[in-house]
Coordinates of all heavy atoms in Angstrom, one line a residue:
M1 N 0.8 -1.2 0.0 CA 0.0 0.0 0.0 C 0.9 1.2 0.0 O 1.8 1.4 0.8 CB -0.9 0.0 1.2 CG -1.8 1.2 1.3 SD -2.8 1.2 2.8 CE -3.7 -0.4 2.6
T2 N 0.6 2.2 -0.8 CA 1.3 3.4 -0.9 C 0.7 4.5 -0.2 O -0.6 4.6 -0.2 CB 1.5 3.8 -2.4 OG1 0.3 4.0 -3.0 CG2 2.3 2.8 -3.1
A3 N 1.5 5.3 0.5 CA 0.9 6.5 1.2 C 0.8 7.6 0.2 O 1.5 7.7 -0.8 CB 1.8 6.8 2.4
G4 N -0.1 8.5 0.5 CA -0.2 9.7 -0.3 C -1.6 9.8 -1.0 O -2.6 9.7 -0.4
R5 N -1.6 9.9 -2.3 CA -2.7 10.1 -3.1 C -3.3 11.5 -2.8 O -4.5 11.7 -2.9 CB -3.8 9.1 -2.9 CG -3.3 7.7 -3.5 CD -4.5 6.9 -3.8 NE -5.5 6.7 -2.7 CZ -6.6 6.0 -2.8 NH1 -6.8 5.4 -3.9 NH2 -7.4 5.9 -1.8
G6 N -2.5 12.5 -2.4 CA -2.9 13.8 -2.2 C -3.4 14.1 -0.8 O -3.5 15.2 -0.4
G7 N -3.7 13.0 0.0 CA -4.2 13.3 1.3 C -3.1 13.1 2.4 O -2.0 13.0 2.0
D8 N -3.5 13.2 3.6 CA -2.6 13.0 4.7 C -2.3 11.6 4.9 O -3.3 10.8 5.3 CB -3.1 13.7 6.0 CG -2.1 13.6 7.1 OD1 -1.1 12.9 7.0 OD2 -2.4 14.2 8.2
P9 N -1.2 11.1 4.7 CA -0.9 9.6 4.8 C -1.1 9.1 6.2 O -1.3 7.9 6.4 CB 0.5 9.4 4.3 CG 1.2 10.8 4.5 CD 0.0 11.8 4.3
A10 N -1.0 10.0 7.2 CA -1.2 9.6 8.6 C -2.7 9.4 8.9 O -3.0 8.8 9.9 CB -0.6 10.6 9.5
R11 N -3.6 9.9 8.0 CA -5.0 9.7 8.3 C -5.6 9.3 7.0 O -6.3 10.0 6.3 CB -5.6 11.0 8.7 CG -5.2 11.4 10.1 CD -5.8 12.8 10.5 NE -5.5 13.1 11.9 CZ -6.2 12.8 12.9 NH1 -7.3 12.2 12.7 NH2 -5.9 13.2 14.1
S12 N -5.4 8.0 6.6 CA -5.8 7.5 5.3 C -7.1 6.8 5.4 O -7.5 6.2 4.4 CB -4.7 6.6 4.8 OG -4.4 5.6 5.7
C13 N -7.7 6.7 6.6 CA -9.0 6.0 6.7 C -10.1 7.0 6.9 O -10.0 8.0 7.7 CB -9.0 5.0 7.9 SG -7.7 3.7 7.7
W14 N -11.2 6.8 6.1 CA -12.3 7.8 6.1 C -13.6 7.2 6.6 O -13.9 6.1 6.0 CB -12.4 8.4 4.7 CG -13.5 9.4 4.6 CD1 -14.7 9.2 4.1 CD2 -13.4 10.8 5.0 NE1 -15.4 10.4 4.1 CE2 -14.6 11.4 4.7 CE3 -12.4 11.6 5.6 CZ2 -14.9 12.7 5.0 CZ3 -12.7 12.9 5.9 CH2 -13.9 13.5 5.6
C15 N -14.2 7.8 7.5 CA -15.5 7.3 8.0 C -16.6 8.1 7.3 O -16.6 9.4 7.5 CB -15.6 7.5 9.5 SG -17.3 7.0 10.1
R16 N -17.4 7.5 6.5 CA -18.4 8.2 5.7 C -19.5 8.6 6.6 O -20.2 9.6 6.2 CB -18.9 7.3 4.6 CG -17.8 6.9 3.6 CD -18.4 6.2 2.3 NE -17.4 5.9 1.4 CZ -17.6 5.4 0.2 NH1 -18.9 5.2 -0.2 NH2 -16.6 5.0 -0.6
R17 N -19.7 7.9 7.7 CA -20.8 8.3 8.5 C -20.5 9.6 9.3 O -21.4 10.5 9.4 CB -21.1 7.2 9.5 CG -22.4 7.4 10.4 CD -22.6 6.3 11.4 NE -23.8 6.6 12.1 CZ -25.0 6.1 11.8 NH1 -25.1 5.3 10.8 NH2 -26.0 6.4 12.6
C18 N -19.3 9.7 9.8 CA -18.9 10.9 10.6 C -18.3 11.9 9.7 O -18.2 13.1 10.1 CB -17.8 10.5 11.6 SG -18.4 9.2 12.8
Q19 N -18.0 11.6 8.4 CA -17.3 12.5 7.5 C -16.0 13.0 8.2 O -15.7 14.2 8.2 CB -18.2 13.7 7.2 CG -19.4 13.3 6.3 CD -18.9 12.9 4.9 OE1 -18.5 13.7 4.1 NE2 -19.1 11.6 4.6
R20 N -15.3 12.0 8.7 CA -14.0 12.4 9.4 C -12.9 11.4 9.0 O -13.2 10.2 8.7 CB -14.2 12.3 10.9 CG -14.9 13.5 11.5 CD -14.9 13.4 13.0 NE -13.5 13.4 13.5 CZ -13.2 13.3 14.8 NH1 -14.2 13.1 15.7 NH2 -12.0 13.3 15.2
A21 N -11.7 11.9 8.9 CA -10.5 11.0 8.7 C -10.0 10.4 10.0 O -10.0 11.1 11.0 CB -9.5 11.8 7.9
H22 N -9.4 9.2 9.9 CA -8.9 8.6 11.0 C -7.5 8.0 10.7 O -7.3 7.5 9.6 CB -9.8 7.5 11.6 CG -11.1 8.0 12.0 ND1 -11.3 8.6 13.3 CD2 -12.3 8.2 11.4 CE1 -12.5 9.0 13.4 NE2 -13.2 8.8 12.3
H23 N -6.7 7.9 11.7 CA -5.4 7.2 11.5 C -5.7 5.7 11.4 O -6.6 5.2 12.1 CB -4.5 7.5 12.7 CG -3.1 7.0 12.5 ND1 -2.8 5.6 12.7 CD2 -2.0 7.6 12.2 CE1 -1.5 5.5 12.4 NE2 -1.0 6.7 12.2
P24 N -5.0 5.0 10.5 CA -5.2 3.6 10.4 C -5.2 2.8 11.7 O -5.9 1.8 11.9 CB -4.1 3.1 9.4 CG -3.7 4.3 8.7 CD -3.9 5.5 9.6
R25 N -4.3 3.2 12.6 CA -4.3 2.5 13.9 C -5.4 2.9 14.8 O -5.6 2.2 15.8 CB -2.9 2.9 14.6 CG -1.7 2.3 13.8 CD -0.5 2.4 14.7 NE 0.7 1.9 14.0 CZ 1.9 1.7 14.6 NH1 2.0 2.0 15.8 NH2 2.9 1.2 13.9
G26 N -6.1 3.9 14.5 CA -7.2 4.3 15.4 C -8.6 4.0 14.8 O -9.6 4.1 15.5
V27 N -8.6 3.6 13.5 CA -9.9 3.4 12.9 C -10.6 2.2 13.4 O -11.8 2.1 13.4 CB -9.8 3.4 11.3 CG1 -9.1 2.1 10.9 CG2 -11.1 3.6 10.6
G28 N -9.8 1.2 13.9 CA -10.4 0.0 14.4 C -11.3 0.3 15.6 O -12.4 -0.2 15.7
R29 N -10.8 1.1 16.5 CA -11.6 1.4 17.7 C -12.7 2.3 17.4 O -13.7 2.3 18.0 CB -10.7 1.9 18.8 CG -10.1 3.3 18.5 CD -9.3 3.8 19.7 NE -8.2 2.8 20.0 CZ -7.4 2.9 21.1 NH1 -7.6 3.9 22.0 NH2 -6.5 2.1 21.3
H30 N -12.5 3.2 16.3 CA -13.6 4.0 15.9 C -14.7 3.2 15.4 O -15.9 3.5 15.7 CB -13.1 5.0 14.8 CG -14.1 5.9 14.3 ND1 -14.5 7.0 15.0 CD2 -14.9 5.8 13.2 CE1 -15.5 7.6 14.3 NE2 -15.8 6.9 13.2
R31 N -14.4 2.2 14.6 CA -15.4 1.3 14.1 C -16.1 0.5 15.2 O -17.3 0.3 15.2 CB -14.8 0.3 13.1 CG -15.8 -0.6 12.4 CD -15.2 -1.4 11.3 NE -14.1 -2.3 11.7 CZ -14.4 -3.5 12.3 NH1 -15.6 -3.9 12.4 NH2 -13.4 -4.3 12.6
A32 N -15.3 0.2 16.2 CA -15.9 -0.5 17.4 C -16.9 0.4 18.1 O -17.9 -0.1 18.6 CB -14.8 -1.0 18.3
M33 N -16.6 1.7 18.1 CA -17.5 2.6 18.7 C -18.9 2.6 18.0 O -19.9 2.5 18.6 CB -16.9 4.0 18.6 CG -17.8 5.1 19.2 SD -19.0 5.8 18.0 CE -17.9 6.7 16.9
H34 N -18.9 2.6 16.6 CA -20.1 2.4 15.9 C -20.8 1.1 16.2 O -22.0 1.0 16.3 CB -19.8 2.6 14.4 CG -19.6 4.0 14.0 ND1 -20.5 5.0 14.1 CD2 -18.5 4.5 13.4 CE1 -19.9 6.1 13.6 NE2 -18.7 5.9 13.2
R35 N -20.0 0.1 16.3 CA -20.6 -1.3 16.6 C -21.3 -1.2 17.9 O -22.4 -1.7 18.0 CB -19.4 -2.3 16.7 CG -19.9 -3.7 17.0 CD -18.7 -4.5 17.5 NE -18.2 -4.0 18.7 CZ -17.0 -4.2 19.2 NH1 -16.2 -5.0 18.5 NH2 -16.6 -3.7 20.3
D36 N -20.7 -0.6 18.9 CA -21.3 -0.6 20.2 C -22.6 0.2 20.2 O -23.5 0.0 21.1 CB -20.3 0.0 21.3 CG -19.2 -1.0 21.6 OD1 -19.3 -2.2 21.1 OD2 -18.2 -0.6 22.2
R37 N -22.6 1.2 19.4 CA -23.8 2.1 19.2 C -24.9 1.4 18.4 O -26.0 1.9 18.2 CB -23.4 3.4 18.7 CG -22.6 4.3 19.6 CD -22.3 5.6 19.0 NE -21.5 6.4 19.9 CZ -21.2 7.7 19.7 NH1 -21.6 8.3 18.6 NH2 -20.4 8.4 20.5
G38 N -24.5 0.3 17.7 CA -25.4 -0.3 16.8 C -25.7 0.5 15.5 O -26.8 0.5 15.0
E39 N -24.7 1.2 15.0 CA -24.8 2.0 13.9 C -24.2 1.4 12.7 O -23.1 0.8 12.8 CB -24.1 3.4 14.1 CG -24.8 4.1 15.3 CD -24.0 5.4 15.6 OE1 -22.8 5.5 15.3 OE2 -24.6 6.3 16.2
D40 N -24.8 1.5 11.5 CA -24.2 1.1 10.3 C -23.1 2.1 9.9 O -23.3 3.3 10.1 CB -25.2 1.1 9.1 CG -26.3 0.0 9.4 OD1 -26.1 -0.9 10.3 OD2 -27.4 0.1 8.8
V41 N -22.1 1.6 9.3 CA -21.0 2.5 9.0 C -20.2 2.0 7.8 O -20.1 0.8 7.5 CB -20.0 2.7 10.2 CG1 -19.3 1.3 10.5 CG2 -18.9 3.7 9.9
T42 N -19.7 3.0 7.0 CA -18.9 2.7 5.8 C -17.6 3.4 6.0 O -17.5 4.6 6.2 CB -19.6 3.1 4.5 OG1 -20.8 2.5 4.4 CG2 -18.7 2.8 3.3
L43 N -16.5 2.6 5.9 CA -15.2 3.1 6.1 C -14.4 2.9 4.8 O -14.4 1.8 4.3 CB -14.5 2.4 7.2 CG -15.1 2.5 8.6 CD1 -14.4 1.6 9.6 CD2 -15.0 4.0 9.1
D44 N -13.7 3.9 4.4 CA -12.8 3.8 3.3 C -11.4 3.5 3.9 O -10.8 4.4 4.5 CB -12.8 5.1 2.4 CG -14.0 5.2 1.7 OD1 -14.5 4.2 1.1 OD2 -14.6 6.3 1.7
L45 N -10.9 2.3 3.6 CA -9.6 1.9 4.3 C -8.5 1.9 3.3 O -7.5 1.2 3.6 CB -9.8 0.6 4.9 CG -11.0 0.5 6.0 CD1 -11.1 -0.9 6.6 CD2 -10.7 1.5 7.1
G46 N -8.5 2.5 2.2 CA -7.4 2.6 1.3 C -7.6 1.6 0.2 O -7.1 1.8 -1.0
D47 N -8.2 0.4 0.5 CA -8.4 -0.6 -0.6 C -9.9 -0.7 -1.0 O -10.3 -1.6 -1.6 CB -7.9 -1.9 -0.1 CG -8.7 -2.4 1.2 OD1 -9.3 -1.6 1.8 OD2 -8.6 -3.6 1.5
G48 N -10.6 0.4 -0.7 CA -12.0 0.5 -1.1 C -12.9 0.6 0.1 O -12.4 0.5 1.2
P49 N -14.2 0.8 -0.1 CA -15.1 1.0 1.0 C -15.4 -0.3 1.7 O -15.5 -1.4 1.0 CB -16.4 1.6 0.3 CG -16.3 1.1 -1.1 CD -14.8 1.0 -1.4
H50 N -15.5 -0.3 3.0 CA -15.9 -1.4 3.8 C -17.2 -1.1 4.5 O -17.3 -0.1 5.2 CB -14.8 -1.8 4.8 CG -13.5 -2.3 4.2 ND1 -13.1 -3.5 4.5 CD2 -12.7 -1.7 3.4 CE1 -11.9 -3.7 3.8 NE2 -11.7 -2.6 3.1
H51 N -18.2 -1.9 4.2 CA -19.5 -1.7 4.8 C -19.7 -2.6 6.1 O -19.5 -3.8 6.0 CB -20.6 -2.0 3.8 CG -20.5 -1.2 2.5 ND1 -20.8 0.1 2.4 CD2 -20.0 -1.6 1.3 CE1 -20.5 0.5 1.2 NE2 -20.0 -0.5 0.5
Y52 N -20.1 -1.9 7.1 CA -20.4 -2.7 8.4 C -21.8 -2.4 8.8 O -22.2 -1.2 9.0 CB -19.4 -2.3 9.5 CG -17.9 -2.5 9.1 CD1 -17.2 -1.5 8.6 CD2 -17.4 -3.8 9.2 CE1 -15.9 -1.7 8.2 CE2 -16.1 -4.0 8.8 CZ -15.3 -3.0 8.3 OH -14.0 -3.2 7.9
T53 N -22.6 -3.4 9.0 CA -24.0 -3.2 9.3 C -24.2 -3.7 10.7 O -24.5 -4.9 11.0 CB -24.9 -4.0 8.3 OG1 -24.5 -3.7 7.0 CG2 -26.3 -3.7 8.6
Y54 N -24.0 -2.8 11.7 CA -24.1 -3.2 13.1 C -25.6 -3.0 13.6 O -25.9 -3.5 14.7 CB -23.2 -2.3 13.9 CG -21.7 -2.6 13.6 CD1 -20.9 -1.6 13.3 CD2 -21.3 -3.9 13.6 CE1 -19.6 -1.8 13.0 CE2 -19.9 -4.2 13.3 CZ -19.1 -3.1 13.0 OH -17.8 -3.4 12.7
S55 N -26.4 -2.4 12.8 CA -27.8 -2.2 13.3 C -28.5 -3.5 13.3 O -29.5 -3.7 13.9 CB -28.5 -1.2 12.4 OG -28.6 -1.6 11.1
R56 N -28.0 -4.5 12.5 CA -28.6 -5.8 12.5 C -27.4 -6.8 12.6 O -27.3 -7.7 11.7 CB -29.5 -6.1 11.3 CG -28.8 -5.7 10.0 CD -29.7 -6.0 8.8 NE -29.1 -5.8 7.5 CZ -28.3 -6.7 6.9 NH1 -28.0 -7.8 7.5 NH2 -27.7 -6.4 5.8
L57 N -26.7 -6.7 13.6 CA -25.5 -7.5 13.8 C -25.8 -9.0 13.9 O -26.7 -9.4 14.6 CB -24.8 -7.1 15.1 CG -23.4 -7.7 15.3 CD1 -22.4 -7.3 14.2 CD2 -22.9 -7.3 16.7
I58 N -25.2 -9.7 13.0 CA -25.4 -11.2 13.0 C -24.2 -11.9 13.5 O -23.1 -11.7 13.1 CB -25.7 -11.6 11.5 CG1 -26.9 -10.9 11.0 CG2 -25.9 -13.1 11.5 CD1 -27.1 -11.1 9.5
R59 N -24.4 -12.8 14.4 CA -23.3 -13.6 15.0 C -22.7 -14.4 13.9 O -23.4 -15.0 13.1 CB -23.8 -14.4 16.2 CG -24.2 -13.6 17.4 CD -24.4 -14.5 18.6 NE -24.8 -13.7 19.8 CZ -23.9 -13.2 20.6 NH1 -22.6 -13.3 20.3 NH2 -24.3 -12.5 21.6
G60 N -21.4 -14.5 13.9 CA -20.7 -15.3 12.9 C -20.1 -14.5 11.8 O -19.3 -15.0 11.0
Q61 N -20.5 -13.2 11.8 CA -19.9 -12.3 10.8 C -18.9 -11.3 11.4 O -18.5 -10.4 10.7 CB -21.0 -11.6 10.1 CG -21.9 -12.5 9.2 CD -22.8 -11.7 8.3 OE1 -23.1 -10.5 8.6 NE2 -23.3 -12.3 7.3
T62 N -18.6 -11.5 12.6 CA -17.7 -10.6 13.2 C -16.3 -10.8 12.7 O -15.9 -11.9 12.3 CB -17.6 -10.8 14.8 OG1 -17.4 -12.2 15.0 CG2 -18.9 -10.4 15.4
S63 N -15.5 -9.8 12.6 CA -14.1 -9.8 12.2 C -13.2 -9.9 13.3 O -13.6 -9.9 14.5 CB -13.8 -8.6 11.3 OG -13.7 -7.5 12.2
I64 N -11.9 -10.0 13.0 CA -10.9 -10.1 14.1 C -10.9 -8.9 15.0 O -10.7 -9.0 16.2 CB -9.5 -10.3 13.5 CG1 -8.5 -10.5 14.6 CG2 -9.1 -9.1 12.6 CD1 -8.6 -11.8 15.4
Y65 N -11.3 -7.8 14.4 CA -11.3 -6.6 15.2 C -12.4 -6.6 16.3 O -12.3 -6.0 17.4 CB -11.5 -5.4 14.4 CG -10.4 -5.1 13.4 CD1 -10.5 -5.4 12.1 CD2 -9.2 -4.6 13.9 CE1 -9.4 -5.2 11.2 CE2 -8.1 -4.5 13.1 CZ -8.2 -4.7 11.7 OH -7.2 -4.6 10.9
D66 N -13.5 -7.3 16.0 CA -14.6 -7.4 17.0 C -14.2 -8.3 18.2 O -15.0 -8.3 19.1 CB -15.8 -8.0 16.3 CG -16.3 -7.0 15.2 OD1 -16.5 -5.8 15.4 OD2 -16.5 -7.5 14.0
L67 N -13.1 -9.0 18.1 CA -12.7 -9.8 19.2 C -11.8 -9.1 20.1 O -11.5 -9.7 21.2 CB -12.0 -11.1 18.6 CG -12.9 -11.9 17.6 CD1 -12.1 -13.1 17.1 CD2 -14.2 -12.4 18.3
L68 N -11.4 -7.9 19.8 CA -10.5 -7.2 20.7 C -11.3 -6.7 21.9 O -12.5 -6.4 21.8 CB -9.9 -6.0 19.9 CG -9.0 -6.4 18.7 CD1 -8.6 -5.1 18.0 CD2 -7.8 -7.1 19.2
P69 N -10.6 -6.6 23.0 CA -11.2 -6.0 24.2 C -11.6 -4.6 24.0 O -10.9 -3.8 23.4 CB -10.1 -6.2 25.3 CG -8.8 -6.2 24.5 CD -9.2 -6.9 23.2
A70 N -12.7 -4.2 24.6 CA -13.2 -2.8 24.5 C -12.6 -1.9 25.5 O -13.3 -1.2 26.3 CB -14.7 -2.8 24.6
S71 N -11.3 -1.9 25.6 CA -10.6 -1.1 26.6 C -10.8 0.4 26.4 O -10.6 1.2 27.3 CB -9.1 -1.4 26.6 OG -8.5 -1.2 25.3
Y72 N -11.2 0.8 25.2 CA -11.3 2.2 24.9 C -12.5 2.8 25.6 O -12.7 4.0 25.6 CB -11.5 2.4 23.4 CG -12.7 1.7 22.8 CD1 -13.9 2.4 22.7 CD2 -12.7 0.4 22.5 CE1 -15.0 1.8 22.3 CE2 -13.8 -0.2 22.0 CZ -15.0 0.5 21.9 OH -16.1 -0.1 21.4
Q73 N -13.4 1.9 26.2 CA -14.6 2.4 26.8 C -14.4 3.0 28.1 O -15.3 3.6 28.7 CB -15.6 1.2 27.0 CG -16.1 0.7 25.6 CD -17.1 -0.4 25.8 OE1 -17.1 -1.0 26.9 NE2 -17.9 -0.7 24.9
Q74 N -13.2 2.9 28.7 CA -13.0 3.4 30.0 C -13.2 4.9 30.2 O -12.8 5.7 29.4 CB -11.5 3.0 30.4 CG -10.5 3.6 29.5 CD -9.1 3.1 29.8 OE1 -8.9 2.3 30.7 NE2 -8.1 3.4 29.0
G75 N -14.0 5.2 31.2 CA -14.2 6.6 31.6 C -14.9 7.4 30.5 O -14.8 8.5 30.4
D76 N -15.8 6.7 29.8 CA -16.5 7.4 28.7 C -18.0 7.7 29.0 O -18.7 8.2 28.2 CB -16.5 6.5 27.4 CG -16.7 7.4 26.2 OD1 -16.4 8.6 26.2 OD2 -17.3 6.8 25.3
T77 N -18.3 7.5 30.3 CA -19.7 7.6 30.6 C -19.9 8.8 31.6 O -21.0 8.9 32.3 CB -20.3 6.3 31.2 OG1 -19.5 5.9 32.3 CG2 -20.3 5.2 30.2
A78 N -18.9 9.6 31.8 CA -19.0 10.6 32.9 C -20.0 11.7 32.5 O -20.2 11.9 31.3 CB -17.6 11.3 33.1
Ligands
ZN1 ZN1 -17.4 7.2 12.3

């Protein structure tokens, strides 16, 4: 994968729902945030759009990222 294409290579992932760019290392937890909220989301990850339908989450279709611990949730309910 090549960096660049006119954008900021440090933020090469785009969330179409939020209309915001994310660092590749941070987009995983950003997607998990949408998952926890039960929101559908489309992310452009450099190799094309990835559609995630969490509003009707079906068991067995989770990816490796969905198996990660939700440590990012700490202190988010204040
Ligand atoms: Zn988003």
Side-chain angles (χ1 to χ4, degrees):
M1 182 183 297
T2 58
R5 291 204 309 180
D8 182 353
R11 290 177 177 270
S12 56
C13 298
W14 181 258
C15 178
R16 296 190 182 187
R17 187 182 182 96
C18 299
Q19 292 292 289
R20 286 186 58 184
H22 296 277
H23 190 281
R25 292 191 180 190
V27 72
R29 69 179 58 188
H30 179 80
R31 183 169 63 79
M33 179 274 290
H34 284 299
R35 179 198 62 200
D36 289 349
R37 292 183 181 183
E39 298 173 339
D40 298 340
V41 63
T42 300
L43 299 172
D44 291 314
L45 301 180
D47 60 344
H50 293 243
H51 304 283
Y52 301 97
T53 308
Y54 295 128
S55 63
R56 52 179 182 83
L57 187 63
I58 301 173
R59 289 189 180 277
Q61 290 189 342
T62 53
S63 72
I64 183 66
Y65 295 106
D66 295 311
L67 302 178
L68 295 174
S71 58
Y72 63 92
Q73 291 181 340
Q74 54 189 358
D76 198 32
T77 57

